[in-house]
PDB file of all heavy atoms in Angstrom:
ATOM      1  N   ILE A 303     -10.417  -6.538  -7.125  1.00 90.00           N
ATOM      2  CA  ILE A 303     -11.112  -5.299  -6.985  1.00 90.00           C
ATOM      3  C   ILE A 303     -10.641  -4.620  -5.629  1.00 90.00           C
ATOM      4  O   ILE A 303     -10.471  -5.210  -4.659  1.00 90.00           O
ATOM      5  CB  ILE A 303     -12.603  -5.437  -6.912  1.00 90.00           C
ATOM      6  CG1 ILE A 303     -13.133  -6.005  -8.247  1.00 90.00           C
ATOM      7  CG2 ILE A 303     -13.341  -4.101  -6.619  1.00 90.00           C
ATOM      8  CD1 ILE A 303     -14.564  -6.464  -8.242  1.00 90.00           C
ATOM      9  N   GLY A 304     -10.265  -3.303  -5.791  1.00 92.00           N
ATOM     10  CA  GLY A 304      -9.817  -2.544  -4.624  1.00 92.00           C
ATOM     11  C   GLY A 304      -8.337  -2.703  -4.329  1.00 92.00           C
ATOM     12  O   GLY A 304      -7.849  -2.203  -3.330  1.00 92.00           O
ATOM     13  N   LEU A 305      -7.570  -3.284  -5.237  1.00 91.00           N
ATOM     14  CA  LEU A 305      -6.170  -3.423  -5.082  1.00 91.00           C
ATOM     15  C   LEU A 305      -5.385  -2.048  -4.880  1.00 91.00           C
ATOM     16  O   LEU A 305      -4.418  -2.036  -4.066  1.00 91.00           O
ATOM     17  CB  LEU A 305      -5.501  -4.186  -6.347  1.00 91.00           C
ATOM     18  CG  LEU A 305      -4.182  -4.781  -6.197  1.00 91.00           C
ATOM     19  CD1 LEU A 305      -4.056  -5.736  -5.066  1.00 91.00           C
ATOM     20  CD2 LEU A 305      -3.819  -5.480  -7.471  1.00 91.00           C
ATOM     21  N   GLU A 306      -5.958  -1.096  -5.508  1.00 89.00           N
ATOM     22  CA  GLU A 306      -5.304   0.228  -5.408  1.00 89.00           C
ATOM     23  C   GLU A 306      -5.492   0.870  -4.057  1.00 89.00           C
ATOM     24  O   GLU A 306      -4.694   1.779  -3.566  1.00 89.00           O
ATOM     25  CB  GLU A 306      -5.889   1.296  -6.447  1.00 89.00           C
ATOM     26  CG  GLU A 306      -7.354   1.572  -6.178  1.00 89.00           C
ATOM     27  CD  GLU A 306      -8.376   0.591  -6.662  1.00 89.00           C
ATOM     28  OE1 GLU A 306      -8.046  -0.479  -7.180  1.00 89.00           O
ATOM     29  OE2 GLU A 306      -9.596   0.870  -6.557  1.00 89.00           O
ATOM     30  N   ASN A 307      -6.360   0.298  -3.183  1.00 92.00           N
ATOM     31  CA  ASN A 307      -6.562   0.837  -1.888  1.00 92.00           C
ATOM     32  C   ASN A 307      -5.757   0.129  -0.856  1.00 92.00           C
ATOM     33  O   ASN A 307      -5.790   0.362   0.418  1.00 92.00           O
ATOM     34  CB  ASN A 307      -8.026   0.719  -1.416  1.00 92.00           C
ATOM     35  CG  ASN A 307      -8.897   1.481  -2.364  1.00 92.00           C
ATOM     36  OD1 ASN A 307      -8.557   2.666  -2.688  1.00 92.00           O
ATOM     37  ND2 ASN A 307     -10.086   0.923  -2.804  1.00 92.00           N
ATOM     38  N   LEU A 308      -5.031  -0.913  -1.178  1.00 92.00           N
ATOM     39  CA  LEU A 308      -4.154  -1.698  -0.293  1.00 92.00           C
ATOM     40  C   LEU A 308      -2.958  -0.891   0.222  1.00 92.00           C
ATOM     41  O   LEU A 308      -2.254  -0.461  -0.540  1.00 92.00           O
ATOM     42  CB  LEU A 308      -3.731  -3.012  -1.032  1.00 92.00           C
ATOM     43  CG  LEU A 308      -3.072  -4.042  -0.132  1.00 92.00           C
ATOM     44  CD1 LEU A 308      -3.981  -4.524   0.962  1.00 92.00           C
ATOM     45  CD2 LEU A 308      -2.650  -5.211  -1.041  1.00 92.00           C
ATOM     46  N   ASN A 309      -2.927  -0.707   1.461  1.00 94.00           N
ATOM     47  CA  ASN A 309      -1.788   0.042   2.107  1.00 94.00           C
ATOM     48  C   ASN A 309      -0.630  -0.883   2.293  1.00 94.00           C
ATOM     49  O   ASN A 309      -0.593  -1.674   3.201  1.00 94.00           O
ATOM     50  CB  ASN A 309      -2.222   0.659   3.404  1.00 94.00           C
ATOM     51  CG  ASN A 309      -1.061   1.544   4.032  1.00 94.00           C
ATOM     52  OD1 ASN A 309       0.067   1.500   3.609  1.00 94.00           O
ATOM     53  ND2 ASN A 309      -1.418   2.259   5.070  1.00 94.00           N
ATOM     54  N   ILE A 310       0.511  -0.774   1.443  1.00 92.00           N
ATOM     55  CA  ILE A 310       1.605  -1.668   1.540  1.00 92.00           C
ATOM     56  C   ILE A 310       2.876  -0.780   1.858  1.00 92.00           C
ATOM     57  O   ILE A 310       4.016  -1.363   1.709  1.00 92.00           O
ATOM     58  CB  ILE A 310       1.824  -2.386   0.295  1.00 92.00           C
ATOM     59  CG1 ILE A 310       2.042  -1.379  -0.893  1.00 92.00           C
ATOM     60  CG2 ILE A 310       0.680  -3.352  -0.024  1.00 92.00           C
ATOM     61  CD1 ILE A 310       2.842  -2.043  -2.041  1.00 92.00           C
ATOM     62  N   GLU A 311       2.700   0.411   2.393  1.00 92.00           N
ATOM     63  CA  GLU A 311       3.938   1.257   2.637  1.00 92.00           C
ATOM     64  C   GLU A 311       4.990   0.770   3.521  1.00 92.00           C
ATOM     65  O   GLU A 311       6.150   1.171   3.424  1.00 92.00           O
ATOM     66  CB  GLU A 311       3.451   2.677   2.861  1.00 92.00           C
ATOM     67  CG  GLU A 311       2.904   2.899   4.245  1.00 92.00           C
ATOM     68  CD  GLU A 311       2.555   4.357   4.483  1.00 92.00           C
ATOM     69  OE1 GLU A 311       1.636   4.872   3.917  1.00 92.00           O
ATOM     70  OE2 GLU A 311       3.169   4.897   5.355  1.00 92.00           O
ATOM     71  N   LYS A 312       4.584  -0.144   4.376  1.00 94.00           N
ATOM     72  CA  LYS A 312       5.481  -0.711   5.353  1.00 94.00           C
ATOM     73  C   LYS A 312       6.111  -2.122   4.922  1.00 94.00           C
ATOM     74  O   LYS A 312       6.884  -2.624   5.604  1.00 94.00           O
ATOM     75  CB  LYS A 312       4.973  -0.832   6.756  1.00 94.00           C
ATOM     76  CG  LYS A 312       4.635   0.603   7.339  1.00 94.00           C
ATOM     77  CD  LYS A 312       4.094   0.511   8.715  1.00 94.00           C
ATOM     78  CE  LYS A 312       3.706   1.932   9.242  1.00 94.00           C
ATOM     79  NZ  LYS A 312       3.221   1.879  10.563  1.00 94.00           N
TER      80      LYS A 312
END
Side-chain angles (χ1 to χ4, degrees):
I303 298 170
L305 195 57
E306 68 279 0
N307 300 316
L308 190 61
N309 182 350
I310 61 152
E311 69 179 67
K312 294 182 180 180

